[in-house]
Amino acid sequence: MTSLAPEHTALAGLPRERGGWWHNFVCPVHGTELSHEGIPGPVPPAGGVRCPHGCRVDSEPVRGAWLVLSHQAWARRIRVLAHRAARTGSDADRDEAVALLAAYADVYAEVTGGGEHERAQDWMLRGRLFHQALTDAIWSVSVGHAVWSLAESAPERAAELRPVLPVLDATAEAARAARDRLVGEGRFTSNYTAWLNAAGRVCARAAALVRAGGVAGEGAAPSSLDDDEWLAGEHGQLAHALAATTRGGWEWEASTYYHGFVLRAYLLSLRGTDPAALPPAARDRLVAMVDVLASLATDDGILPAIHDGPYLRPPLALEWTELCALADGFVADAGLAAVAARARREVAAAGPGHGPGDPLADELRALRGGWFAGTPLVVDRPARPVVSIDEEVGIAVVRAAGIHAVLDHGPHGAGHGHHDKLALYLYGQRTPWQPDPGQVPYGHPAWRDHYASAAAHPGVRVDDGDPAEATGRLLDRDERSLTVEVRGDATSWYDGVRAVRRLVAGDGYLLDVVVATADRPRRLTLGLRPDVPLAVRLDGDVVRTGWDGAERLDGVHAARAAGPDGPVPVRAVVRPGPGPADDPQRERAHVDWTAHGATSALWVSVYRAGAADGTDGAPVAGVELDAVEIRVRRADGAVDVHRLPGEANHD
């Protein structure tokens, strides 16, 4: 292989070791992701990588994880340089990108030897440059797009890229082998498949452009979409999009992170295609996937971190900006402008060391000729409803007077699922009052177990244990309310227990009603899990809560329970507990309403949102329960009456 002389000082910064598994980039003591200092660079910091709480961690798994992040950052930098050179014609950017690609070709041949990573764990789909084939695919998509941009924008210089052909060919071959293994194991719907297809399509296309001298149509691309096996084949990207998502557009694991993860792979792999020319079923499904995120996000762009996925992570924010830019090119008025703006603010607040200097969104938006060959799709969308729900994944959103409530009751979500059946997450436009806490990097088993547990989520618990995996179901809904349930038996949820949760968008408030019944005396608990300062006070027969933030939330709560011998007290107890998964050491006030020895329990909460200074958020005057009704007494003197769910009608 011909190697270019290192004319750029950046070449000295390329890592010359294989990467490991990025999820090991976590402090073993505190459970927080480690510092990105020195990334991108050749080797981890001397003496170990810093933890935000003062540790220095220098272990083989952490070193391997640091190398993953550095390799990925270098690949993104090369892509930014290549796209910028294609847009501006800058010889300096092009020369640096070409030199880095050629140097990487040398590194790839040197460190992989053409074989799989021998240190990968047995459960992994083995990669070559990294432990995971998935990580190889993500890295190679950036490299392939860089080559694509350079070859297409300056065909007369395409020959400069020939040293990279062995890498492109090897990564496309590895992607095909890994995909074939998944298909053979019956795991075609894995989120890995989306990235393996993206890697195969992008690297094959880039290699064909280089061989054809950068001229599309001269052996550089299939003659039609149907001829592109990576996109339209039996196990290609469009087939995967239909198989791995619900009719409503949710990725089947119902994880916000993995939903965006596969959608980004789809849109990156569709470069150069006309959205209008895609098969209607696949095209409409991709639009639905974009709409899922727009519907889930708050008005200020908070995306609840449902199931596995980081709660807050600057490198992920960069990925969201990229996805939002791609979505804008695919469908007009994608509805993700607030998500992109919030993600940019998160990156800016984190400071240097969390990604390339050029914002990825600007890079993709400004690419000469655009990302897609056609104009964005124009789609008629109905007005956003008060209640929206995907019944297949069991994720519901209720919007009530400044409160953005998300209720999770569907399938577990396989390996990325949490014990969060009937969990209720509460957001303002800008404030995560009671958010889904997300997940730590997987390399910390103790904190990973915690954030997947029932105790970490604001839902129903029985005897303070974790349930079996379970699926709830929708009982009823209308324009302003919904009711869902989950039932337990010997193999599902809590044996012998049924719980129902009803949400109602009231006049200026959100009403939350939870009923649990058991076939024998149990310890029944409903939890609150805030990520803001929370004030709790007992006020006669009710408990009042005050939630701080950019907006304020006030709650009024009442409860009752019964056992075999009559009424059972329900006590609210406040304890210190960990905050969301970006920093498990952040202490928050956890509230548990518990009835000991109960066979039934009823919890009623009325929430009202207001500004941070308390204006427009006067608390509800009171809430009263009787055998069959809930009466909400509002501050203006009006009384709203709501009937209890059927099984709560007990004395």
Side-chain angles (χ1 to χ4, degrees), residues 272-328:
T273 66
D274 181 353
L278 297 177
R283 179 191 65 214
D284 294 347
R285 190 63 59 87
L286 292 173
V287 172
M289 292 187 74
V290 174
D291 288 347
V292 159
L293 294 174
S295 177
L296 182 65
T298 72
D299 289 346
D300 196 55
I302 299 174
L303 275 172
I306 298 170
H307 292 181
D308 268 5
Y311 176 71
L312 185 68
R313 184 173 186 259
L316 175 58
L318 282 172
E319 295 175 11
W320 286 125
T321 66
E322 175 179 298
L323 175 55
C324 293
L326 292 166
D328 284 342

Side-chain angles (χ1 to χ4, degrees), residues 11-18 40-43 66-67 70-71 74 104 107 111:
L11 297 183
L14 286 182
R16 305 194 74 86
E17 298 179 62
R18 280 174 157 173
V43 293
W66 186 97
L67 288 165
S70 186
H71 277 296
W74 276 115
Y104 243 133
V107 169
V111 304

Side-chain angles (χ1 to χ4, degrees), residues 208-265:
L209 279 168
V210 172
R211 291 188 169 98
V215 181
E218 298 184 10
S223 58
S224 71
L225 179 67
D226 290 342
D227 295 329
D228 193 325
E229 186 272 336
W230 289 107
L231 293 181
E234 179 183 6
H235 298 119
Q237 208 67 306
L238 302 181
H240 187 264
L242 293 174
T245 62
T246 68
R247 291 184 298 274
W250 263 100
E251 194 266 345
W252 69 274
E253 295 163 296
S255 157
T256 310
Y257 171 74
Y258 286 103
H259 181 94
F261 186 67
V262 299
L263 178 57
R264 190 163 61 96

Side-chain angles (χ1 to χ4, degrees), residues 403 426 433 508-510 534-535 537 543-548 551-557 605-621:
I403 300 171
L426 300 173
W433 290 308
Y509 59 84
L510 175 72
L534 179 72
R537 66 183 175 89
V543 172
R544 295 188 181 273
T545 55
W547 310 60
D548 288 338
E551 304 123 305
R552 181 175 173 82
L553 183 70
D554 290 296
V556 181
H557 315 267
S605 299
V606 182
Y607 294 104
R608 182 175 173 87
D613 61 4
T615 58
D616 299 323
V620 170

